[in-house]
Amino acid sequence: MLRSLVGSEMCIRDSLKRIFGKADKFSKRQLNKVVALAGLTLTGAASIPRSVCWEAWPSTRWNVFLVGAGSLAAHTAYSVVDYYGASPTKVLEANAKSGHKYEWVALLAGSVAQLGYGWVRWRHGALSDAAGDLLVAATTAGVIHFYLIETSSGKPEDLPVRPWGYVAFAVPAVSLTAWIANQLSRSL
């Protein structure tokens, strides 16, 4: 049985080497973009207020958040290595994408998002209302990061995303709208 497990592990490792080892830089970057879009979609779904749709499934909401935040952490790690050579100085210079006039704002928004996700993971074992509020803010910062890092001019027509990629903008927009409605209903 041990031989079988070792054999299957080697098969999986070899398959991943074939997929990622031969891929060109553009393909790897596109895969990284898909990971980011999936993460934004999942964290956006998890940030929909508990009272709107998660009341009966708190553990599912937490798991959706963890997978989404994990995807975004993997995306961040890959991007820092690929675009900035894992150099803090290059990240602070914010000029890996020539012609992107909002790159530094995008990096700031991405940092705020990652700090928010990290705080929610560290301080909250489940998504309380306070954690949900922070998650909405972090996801909004993540969307701002993605939009500004992908557009050179900041104009919507410059966003190089296939139509299905807009789900990663729509789901967080729904969560932000639901959060605002929830806040307004509490104050009335």
Side-chain angles (χ1 to χ4, degrees), residues 26-102:
F26 177 77
S27 297
K28 290 177 185 176
R29 285 181 174 178
Q30 292 304 306
L31 182 59
N32 186 43
K33 190 184 295 188
V34 170
V35 168
L37 290 170
L40 281 174
T41 302
L42 292 172
T43 56
S47 63
I48 295 172
R50 181 178 48 177
S51 61
V52 173
C53 72
W54 292 107
E55 203 70 58
W57 306 299
S59 63
T60 301
R61 182 184 188 202
W62 180 247
N63 290 330
V64 167
F65 162 69
L66 289 177
V67 172
S71 296
L72 291 169
H75 160 74
T76 300
Y78 179 86
S79 295
V80 166
V81 170
D82 187 51
Y83 288 99
Y84 304 98
S87 166
T89 304
K90 289 183 180 177
V91 172
L92 290 173
E93 290 171 355
N95 63 1
K97 292 187 148 193
S98 60
H100 280 68
K101 62 183 182 179
Y102 299 110

Side-chain angles (χ1 to χ4, degrees), residues 103-139:
E103 185 174 352
W104 67 272
V105 178
L107 293 176
L108 180 62
S111 298
V112 167
Q114 285 297 349
L115 287 170
Y117 296 139
W119 185 258
V120 168
R121 281 191 303 263
W122 179 61
R123 294 290 293 165
H124 303 277
L127 292 174
S128 63
D129 287 339
D133 293 348
L134 179 57
L135 188 54
V136 168
T139 300

